[in-house]
């Protein structure tokens, strides 16, 4: 990769996870510049040991005293009641305490926070799936100060966002990778009602699956963790990441233990400092070209702390690949520490590859993806061989253990070292002091420190305490050494005196208790002054201001008009079935499944039948897609194309601007994965679309139930009444992982889970991503009465893997249901979340 000179990488930030107060201390002790934490509400890790209210205020103060920053995750989708009655009240005390930033997924949350807390920095979460320049620019206009990029972006794409916006860029550099684009996963939600969008992901991607092409199994029998990526480690490409414009180097792991957070943070601190040492730009570039390297020992220690089958440097330099996946095991592998060199009825011989401590945890992996513990009960030096008792006689074939590698999954000495030298280290705040003990005046102690404020400016803060008058010494007068020794006993306070000036007259006596009291008073004042310097006030009337929920832009839809019947199709067999039905009105043609020539041919057929044709755009829009749109812009201008179904803000902003500049009028439908969870989000999108087209239609998200949809009280919405829910949109490709990449778009492959459910996989090879579908379709034909009460503008049926006959049957059932019959499908189906919703 060519070297790009960039001012930012000299002044970068190491951002560590803190799932608990102890993790936060470990992170700061290890050299983190900032931490991100979850509170008691609205965080994407609901099952972490999140901070309660008082603890979070204390953590904010702890960070600021040490010149560090603390960011709060508010990165879930909020339901109407939550955003209207809880969000601002929840955030208010943290805002007042000086919270540095909030990390946000929901655009309604973003706009509400900006209106109530205008001085609070807002970071756009990776859950927003920011994949391009257009959406990034829009977020900047909304007041976002930092973009947390989608983990799947290349370094080139990240650089484009940085150059176009000048915003701070935050990107993940270490830890777990999701298989799905963040914010585009409904697998946990659909399977068990635990929504990743609500911080409760059950991680079903870490379970085992088999891949079939039609009836033929294509993955190896031991390679069953097809959706489980390796953990990321980017130390070797850290210079390239920084040169791409990344300011904040983000470590994943709010569910991890303190030793993980501290150990990983310390490693990244070491190499960032190595880069920072070369302060001249050209000097630094030369160093990065010629001398930057990462020691194998440091990478090995990171693997000891946690890894899944080794490390990957993620998507920064690749689209996807088998080498990114942990196919044999979904959790910690550890490192190779020994090998079984002999086995008999009673003993097993083990040769150590590394020094092994008797307290280490060891295991051997078997062919069926299970592990057996190895208990050596002694320490072994590397190269030595020991014999242990054979406790595995119950195995069908004990001989199968011969030459098996032994993995160490806990290096006890390494963990103890991290605990002793990092976690348990006290990170005191350095303070300069001066004490005056003079005849006839009260004893005076002054303390002073320098810190960075919220704008990174240096502040000098001082406190002064006065005590009693010094007494004339009858026996032993006060001397400098004794006084300074007593003042330096700062104990459990946050401070440590690094330098104290003393002006003491001869012949005076000062009780130790007076010095202790003076020190406590002075440092208490200093603590208060520092924390007060970060505090803010806000307009408390905002808490009562419900006008923010009132739409300022009309949608233009009549609640009483007859709903439009829309069908989205993926092939001509489905299209022909739809065109034969008079009750259908709109037809969406899936771009990626249809070629551009077929889009034109299909759109003409749709228009000739008296219906309206839409192009259904890809679920993920990256530079590859934008360039494809530009090359084929003549297709989108065609009069046979009535409008577009957009699946992300990147697409909408690109096309709305393009059409506006060309003077072209097209209609837009926002699909259900652009989450309209609350009124604030709907209002934002209304304002976004008003300038170009005030008749855009918004879809109900899959995760809202009937009651929650009703509470939106929104006219003109689109609701899906049939279709296989896309539970994952992935940059990874299961065909490529299993060596079956043929670059052919289609849906002949499916994943079979441990319960024998089959999830079809659609390969979109034009834009290189997979769509994984739920095992059974959503069908709400039995709920037409309830749906009519919601008065939607569009009923949508989405056809993906259905053949002509199946499409005909579904359409017949829908037609009867819309006429009032309680018509069911003749196959298994789900009502999704229409009844139950998500927690």
């Amino acid at each position: 990769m060519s070297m790009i000179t960039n001012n930012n990488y000299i002044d970068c930030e190491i951002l560590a996870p803190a799932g608990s107060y102890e993790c936060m201390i470990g992170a700061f002790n290890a050299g983190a510049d900032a931490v991100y934490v979850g509170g008691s509400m609205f965080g994407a890790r609901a099952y972490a040991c999140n901070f309660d209210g008082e603890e979070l205020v204390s953590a904010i103060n702890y960070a600021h005293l040490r010149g560090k920053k603390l960011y709060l995750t508010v990165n879930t989708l909020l339901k109407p009641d939550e955003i209207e009655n809880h969000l601002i009240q929840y955030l208010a005390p943290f805002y007042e305490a000086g919270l540095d930033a909030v990390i946000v997924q929901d655009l309604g949350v973003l706009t509400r926070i900006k209106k109530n807390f205008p001085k609070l920095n807002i970071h756009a979460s990776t859950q927003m799936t920011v994949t391009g320049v257009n959406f990034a620019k829009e977020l900047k206009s909304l007041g976002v100060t930092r973009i947390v990029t989608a983990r799947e972006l290349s370094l080139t794409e990240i650089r484009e966002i940085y150059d176009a916006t000048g915003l701070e860029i935050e990107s993940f550099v270490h830890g777990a990778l999701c298989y799905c684009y963040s914010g585009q996963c409904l697998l946990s939600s659909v399977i068990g009602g635990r929504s990743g969008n609500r911080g409760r992901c059950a991680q079903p991607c870490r379970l085992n699956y088999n891949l079939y092409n039609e009836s033929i199994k294509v993955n190896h029998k031991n390679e069953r963790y097809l959706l489980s990526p390796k953990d990321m480690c980017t130390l070797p490409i850290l210079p390239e990441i920084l040169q791409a414009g990344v300011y904040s180097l983000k470590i994943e792991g709010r569910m991890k233990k303190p030793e993980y957070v501290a150990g990983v943070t310390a490693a990244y601190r070491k190499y960032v400092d190595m880069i920072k040492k070369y302060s001249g730009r050209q000097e630094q570039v030369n160093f990065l070209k010629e001398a930057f390297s990462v020691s194998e020992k440091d990478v090995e220690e990171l693997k000891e702390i946690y890894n899944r089958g080794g490390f990957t440097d993620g998507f920064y330099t690749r689209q996807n690949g088998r080498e990114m996946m942990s196919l044999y095991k979904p959790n910690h592998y550890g490192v190779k520490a020994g090998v079984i060199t002999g086995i008999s009825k009673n003993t097993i011989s083990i040769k150590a590859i590394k020094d092994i401590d008797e307290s280490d945890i060891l295991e051997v992996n078997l062919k069926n993806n299970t592990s057996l513990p190895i208990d050596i009960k002694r320490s072994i030096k590397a190269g030595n061989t020991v014999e242990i008792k054979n406790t595995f006689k119950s195995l069908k074939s004990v001989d199968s253990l011969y030459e098996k590698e032994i993995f160490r999954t806990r290096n006890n000495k390494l963990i103890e070292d991290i605990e002793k030298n990092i976690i348990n280290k006290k990170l005191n705040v350095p303070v300069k002091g001066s004490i005056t003990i003079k005849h006839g005046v009260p004893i005076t102690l002054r303390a002073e420190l320098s810190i960075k404020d919220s704008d990174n400016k240096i502040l000098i803060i001082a406190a002064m305490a006065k005590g009693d008058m010094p007494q004339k010494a009858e026996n032993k007068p006060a001397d400098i050494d004794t006084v300074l020794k007593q003042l330096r006993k700062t104990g459990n306070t946050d401070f440590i005196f690094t330098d104290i000036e003393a002006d003491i007259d001869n012949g005076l006596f000062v009780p130790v208790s007076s010095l202790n009291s003076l020190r406590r008073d002075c440092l208490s004042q200093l603590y208060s002054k520092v924390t007060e310097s970060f505090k803010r006030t806000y307009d408390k009337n905002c808490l009562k201001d419900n006008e923010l929920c009132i739409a300022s832009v009309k949608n233009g839809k009549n609640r009483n008009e007859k709903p439009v019947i829309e069908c989205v199709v993926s092939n001509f067999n489905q299209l022909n079935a739809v065109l034969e039905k008079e009750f259908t009105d709109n037809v969406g043609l899936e771009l990626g499944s249809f070629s551009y020539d077929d889009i034109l041919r299909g759109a003409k057929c749709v228009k000739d039948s008296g219906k309206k044709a839409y192009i259904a755009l890809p679920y993920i829009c990256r530079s590859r897609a934008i360039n494809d749109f530009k090359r084929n812009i003549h297709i989108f201008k065609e009069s046979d194309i009535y409008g577009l179904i957009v699946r992300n803000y990147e697409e909408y902003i690109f096309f709305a601007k393009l059409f506006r500049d060309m003077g072209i009028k097209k209609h837009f439908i926002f699909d259900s994965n652009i989450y309209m969870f609350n009124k604030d989000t709907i209002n934002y999108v209304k304002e976004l679309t008003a300038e170009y087209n005030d008749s855009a239609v918004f879809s109900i998200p899959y995760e809202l139930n009937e009651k929650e949809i009703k509470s939106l009280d929104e006219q003109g919405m689109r609701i899906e009444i049939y279709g296989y829910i896309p539970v994952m949109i992935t940059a990874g490709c299961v065909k490529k992982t299993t060596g079956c990449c043929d670059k052919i778009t289609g849906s002949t492959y499916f994943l079979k889970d441990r319960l024998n459910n089959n999830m079809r996989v659609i390969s979109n090879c034009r834009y290189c991503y997979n769509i994984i579908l739920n095992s059974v379709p959503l069908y709400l034909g039995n709920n037409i009465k309830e749906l009519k009460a919601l008065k939607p503008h569009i009923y949508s049926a989405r056809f993906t893997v259905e053949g002509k006959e199946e499409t005909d049957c579904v359409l017949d059932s829908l037609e009867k249901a819309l006429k009032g019959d309680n018509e069911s499908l003749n196959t298994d189906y789900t009502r999704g979340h229409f009844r139950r919703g998500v927690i």
Side-chain angles (χ1 to χ4, degrees):
M1 172 174 290
S2 61
M3 305 298 290
I4 304 171
T5 302
N6 172 29
N7 289 329
N8 264 15
Y9 66 76
I10 295 173
D11 187 29
C12 64
E13 168 189 273
I14 296 177
L15 176 59
S20 68
Y21 208 94
E22 188 181 6
C23 284
M24 178 193 71
I25 292 173
F28 286 146
N29 287 351
D33 300 294
V35 295
Y36 60 104
V37 310
S40 60
M41 302 175 77
F42 312 137
R45 292 290 182 271
Y47 301 112
C49 300
N50 292 310
F51 293 65
D52 62 28
E54 290 184 7
E55 194 176 38
L56 185 49
V57 171
S58 174
I60 293 169
N61 293 336
Y62 184 94
H64 288 163
L65 279 165
R66 289 155 180 80
K68 312 288 187 177
K69 293 188 176 182
L70 186 143
Y71 311 138
L72 178 64
T73 58
V74 191
N75 54 343
T76 59
L77 300 176
L78 269 63
K79 297 179 181 181
D81 174 67
E82 293 170 332
I83 197 169
E84 291 172 19
N85 299 318
H86 301 286
L87 173 65
I88 302 306
Q89 295 93 325
Y90 167 67
L91 288 179
F94 314 135
Y95 177 80
E96 288 182 311
L99 177 66
D100 294 290
V102 285
I103 305 170
V104 172
Q105 174 187 11
D106 191 316
L107 282 165
V109 170
L110 189 160
T111 54
R112 180 68 72 105
I113 290 174
K114 201 64 189 174
K115 289 175 181 176
N116 285 269
F117 305 128
K119 295 181 181 179
L120 183 58
N121 288 322
I122 297 178
H123 299 172
S125 171
T126 191
Q127 289 285 119
M128 277 195 183
T129 327
V130 181
T131 56
V133 166
N134 296 290
F135 187 27
K137 285 181 176 178
E138 171 63 16
L139 290 170
K140 182 177 181 179
S141 74
L142 293 176
V144 165
T145 56
R146 180 183 293 187
I147 300 288
V148 187
T149 55
R151 279 178 257 212
E152 295 75 13
L153 294 192
S154 68
L155 293 175
T156 300
E157 289 170 310
I158 292 172
R159 181 74 200 198
E160 288 171 354
I161 293 173
Y162 172 70
D163 287 342
T165 64
L167 291 173
E168 289 181 354
I169 301 296
E170 177 180 309
S171 298
F172 284 90
V173 295
H174 197 97
L177 285 169
C178 291
Y179 190 69
C180 185
Y181 279 92
S182 295
Q184 299 298 313
C185 185
L186 298 174
L187 185 59
S188 175
S189 170
V190 169
I191 290 175
R194 286 174 55 176
S195 170
N197 285 316
R198 301 273 294 163
R200 293 174 170 83
C201 179
Q203 294 192 319
C205 53
R206 300 296 181 187
L207 299 176
N208 59 75
Y209 298 87
N210 288 310
L211 182 67
Y212 289 81
N213 183 6
E214 299 296 352
S215 61
I216 301 173
K217 181 181 171 183
V218 298
N219 61 299
H220 189 277
K221 62 181 180 180
N222 290 328
E223 297 176 352
R224 300 177 61 195
Y225 296 94
L226 300 176
L227 307 183
S228 180
K230 294 177 181 177
D231 277 13
M232 181 195 292
C233 174
T234 63
L235 282 179
I237 63 167
L238 203 55
E240 288 91 336
I241 292 173
L242 294 169
Q243 290 158 0
V246 176
Y247 168 73
S248 183
L249 305 171
K250 187 169 193 173
I251 298 166
E252 182 277 338
R254 278 200 293 128
M255 299 290 286
K256 296 289 201 305
K257 295 179 179 179
E259 57 263 30
Y260 173 92
V261 174
V264 174
T265 302
Y268 281 82
R269 179 79 271 161
K270 173 182 175 179
Y271 287 96
V272 166
D273 287 348
M274 186 184 296
I275 294 170
K276 281 186 170 185
K277 184 172 66 173
Y278 295 82
S279 57
R281 196 159 62 228
Q282 190 56 50
E283 180 187 17
Q284 193 174 54
V285 169
N286 291 338
F287 163 68
L288 296 177
K289 281 183 177 179
E290 300 165 7
F292 181 83
S293 65
V294 177
S295 82
E296 292 183 8
K297 179 178 181 294
D298 289 336
V299 175
E300 191 75 359
E301 285 191 353
L302 287 173
K303 287 181 180 178
E304 295 260 25
I305 294 170
Y306 198 90
N307 81 90
R308 288 182 171 94
F311 284 137
T312 172
D313 57 13
F315 294 92
Y316 291 121
T317 59
R318 62 176 63 81
Q319 175 73 25
N320 50 40
R322 175 185 172 86
E323 69 276 13
M324 295 180 64
M325 305 305 297
S326 178
L327 297 171
Y328 300 97
K329 187 178 177 181
N331 48 20
H332 184 35
Y333 266 66
V335 299
K336 295 175 185 177
V339 63
I340 295 176
T341 57
I343 190 162
S344 68
K345 181 178 180 182
N346 298 315
T347 62
I348 296 175
S349 298
I350 294 173
K351 182 177 181 179
I353 298 173
K354 299 179 183 296
D355 289 347
I356 298 174
D357 187 75
E358 62 182 345
S359 60
D360 290 345
I361 296 177
L362 306 171
E363 62 182 38
V364 59
N365 296 326
L366 303 181
K367 287 183 178 180
N368 60 353
N369 299 111
T370 61
S371 300
L372 291 174
I374 299 286
D375 187 4
I376 60 170
K377 292 186 170 62
R378 73 195 75 177
S379 296
I380 319 174
K381 288 290 183 182
N384 290 348
T385 300
V386 297
E387 288 189 349
I388 65 171
K389 184 178 180 180
N390 184 356
T391 58
F392 305 127
K393 297 175 185 178
S394 60
L395 286 176
K396 289 183 179 179
S397 176
V398 176
D399 291 339
S400 65
L401 293 177
Y402 180 63
E403 293 187 341
K404 276 282 187 182
E405 293 168 329
I406 293 173
F407 289 82
R408 176 166 56 203
T409 57
R410 179 181 172 88
N411 183 332
N412 207 56
K413 284 190 173 180
L414 175 62
I415 299 305
E416 287 179 352
D417 183 62
I418 292 171
E419 290 174 344
K420 177 183 176 181
N421 296 317
I422 302 178
I423 296 172
N424 296 330
K425 180 178 68 177
K426 191 168 178 61
L427 188 62
N428 293 109
V429 181
V431 174
K432 292 182 179 180
S434 61
I435 186 165
T436 303
I437 304 174
K438 308 287 285 184
H439 287 283
V441 293
I443 304 171
T444 303
L445 177 63
R446 186 179 186 275
E448 176 188 290
L449 58 77
S450 61
I451 60 167
K452 289 182 180 180
D453 67 9
S454 55
D455 297 319
N456 285 328
K457 295 178 181 177
I458 300 296
L459 296 179
I460 304 298
I461 297 179
M464 183 180 290
K466 291 187 177 183
D468 299 328
M469 293 281 189
Q471 305 165 20
K472 184 178 179 180
E474 295 182 1
N475 294 311
K476 188 176 180 181
D479 64 90
I480 290 179
D481 290 342
T482 302
V483 170
L484 297 187
K485 181 181 179 181
Q486 200 62 37
L487 291 179
R488 287 196 172 101
K489 292 181 178 179
T490 53
N492 292 324
T493 70
D494 294 278
F495 306 103
I496 184 171
F497 281 108
T498 56
D499 182 31
I500 306 176
E501 296 179 356
D503 185 4
I504 303 175
D505 284 350
N506 294 326
L508 296 178
F509 171 73
V510 180
V512 169
S513 59
S514 295
L515 290 174
N516 291 342
S517 178
L518 195 66
R519 183 192 62 236
R520 284 193 298 268
D521 185 17
C522 188
L523 294 182
S524 177
Q525 287 185 49
L526 189 63
Y527 179 91
S528 297
K529 284 191 174 185
V530 172
T531 56
E532 285 292 330
S533 70
F534 286 90
K535 287 188 176 179
R536 316 180 184 98
T537 59
Y538 72 101
D539 182 4
K540 291 182 171 56
N541 289 326
C542 287
L543 295 175
K544 302 175 182 178
D545 183 11
N546 289 322
E547 292 184 2
L548 292 172
C549 300
I550 298 174
S552 59
V553 182
K554 293 183 179 179
N555 185 266
K557 298 299 175 190
N558 184 345
R559 281 177 171 271
N560 297 314
E561 68 182 13
K562 181 182 175 183
V564 171
I565 310 303
E566 169 200 274
C567 295
V568 180
V569 298
S570 302
N571 56 55
F572 278 103
N573 286 331
Q574 296 166 358
L575 176 61
N576 291 333
V578 170
L579 295 182
E580 291 169 2
K581 301 295 182 180
E582 292 186 3
F583 78 99
T584 60
D585 303 298
N586 294 351
V587 181
L589 305 168
E590 282 283 358
L591 183 58
S593 298
F594 288 98
S595 69
Y596 278 107
D597 287 343
D598 286 344
I599 289 278
L600 285 180
R601 184 158 63 95
K604 186 177 186 307
C605 294
V606 173
K607 189 174 182 181
D608 289 346
S609 70
K611 306 178 193 298
K612 295 174 181 176
Y614 286 75
I615 297 178
L617 297 177
Y619 283 92
I620 295 296
C621 183
R622 294 170 60 176
S623 55
R624 182 176 185 165
I626 292 292
N627 292 333
D628 185 53
F629 300 157
K630 289 177 179 177
R631 286 192 300 268
N632 295 279
I633 197 61
H634 60 284
I635 302 292
F636 299 95
K637 292 164 59 178
E638 283 291 330
S639 59
D640 289 346
I641 305 297
Y642 187 78
L644 304 179
I645 300 172
V646 295
R647 267 93 181 233
N648 48 73
Y649 291 104
E650 184 72 15
E651 291 169 347
Y652 173 75
I653 296 165
F654 171 79
F655 277 108
K657 182 179 185 302
L658 191 69
F659 291 156
R660 184 171 59 247
D661 292 346
M662 291 180 171
I664 298 173
K665 188 73 171 178
K666 298 288 183 183
H667 289 256
F668 286 92
I669 295 172
F670 283 65
D671 210 349
S672 52
N673 65 314
I674 301 179
Y675 301 113
M676 306 286 174
F677 245 62
N678 51 68
K679 197 76 171 177
D680 292 67
T681 303
I682 293 172
N683 288 342
Y684 157 73
V685 181
K686 284 181 179 179
E687 293 176 5
L688 177 67
T689 59
E691 182 181 356
Y692 171 73
N693 187 342
D694 64 1
S695 60
V697 178
F698 317 133
S699 298
I700 298 295
Y702 289 112
E703 293 185 300
L704 291 184
N705 63 28
E706 179 188 4
K707 181 180 178 181
E708 290 158 350
I709 297 170
K710 194 175 294 183
S711 71
L712 292 176
D713 192 31
E714 181 62 26
Q715 58 183 322
M717 298 288 277
R718 170 181 179 257
I719 189 164
E720 188 166 305
I721 58 173
Y722 172 81
Y724 285 88
I725 296 173
V727 292
M728 272 191 164
I729 312 297
T730 76
C733 175
V734 292
K735 290 199 296 184
K736 189 171 182 179
T737 295
T738 53
C740 302
C741 180
D742 51 15
K743 300 190 186 312
I744 298 174
T745 293
S747 57
T748 61
Y749 287 77
F750 64 88
L751 290 163
K752 183 184 288 289
D753 68 14
R754 68 198 192 286
L755 300 177
N756 289 322
N757 297 310
N758 296 332
M759 300 186 297
R760 296 296 288 267
V761 181
I762 300 175
S763 300
N764 187 318
C765 296
R766 173 174 287 146
Y767 306 115
C768 198
Y769 66 84
N770 283 180
I771 306 166
I772 301 176
L773 304 176
N774 192 28
S775 57
V776 295
L778 169 76
Y779 180 71
L780 296 178
N782 292 333
N783 300 95
I784 291 298
K785 181 178 179 181
E786 295 93 329
L787 293 176
K788 285 182 177 179
L790 300 173
K791 299 182 179 177
H793 176 61
I794 295 177
Y795 290 131
S796 179
R798 191 167 52 85
F799 296 96
T800 48
V801 297
E802 297 85 351
K804 174 71 162 60
E805 184 177 346
E806 189 177 358
T807 304
D808 280 331
C809 291
V810 171
L811 289 169
D812 288 342
S813 296
L814 288 175
E815 185 173 20
K816 292 176 183 177
L818 290 167
K819 289 179 180 178
D821 297 337
N822 190 21
E823 186 68 19
S824 293
L825 289 180
N826 57 5
T827 60
D828 291 338
Y829 63 88
T830 177
R831 289 188 175 90
H833 292 297
F834 189 70
R835 292 293 193 201
R836 62 182 181 178
V838 294
I839 56 175

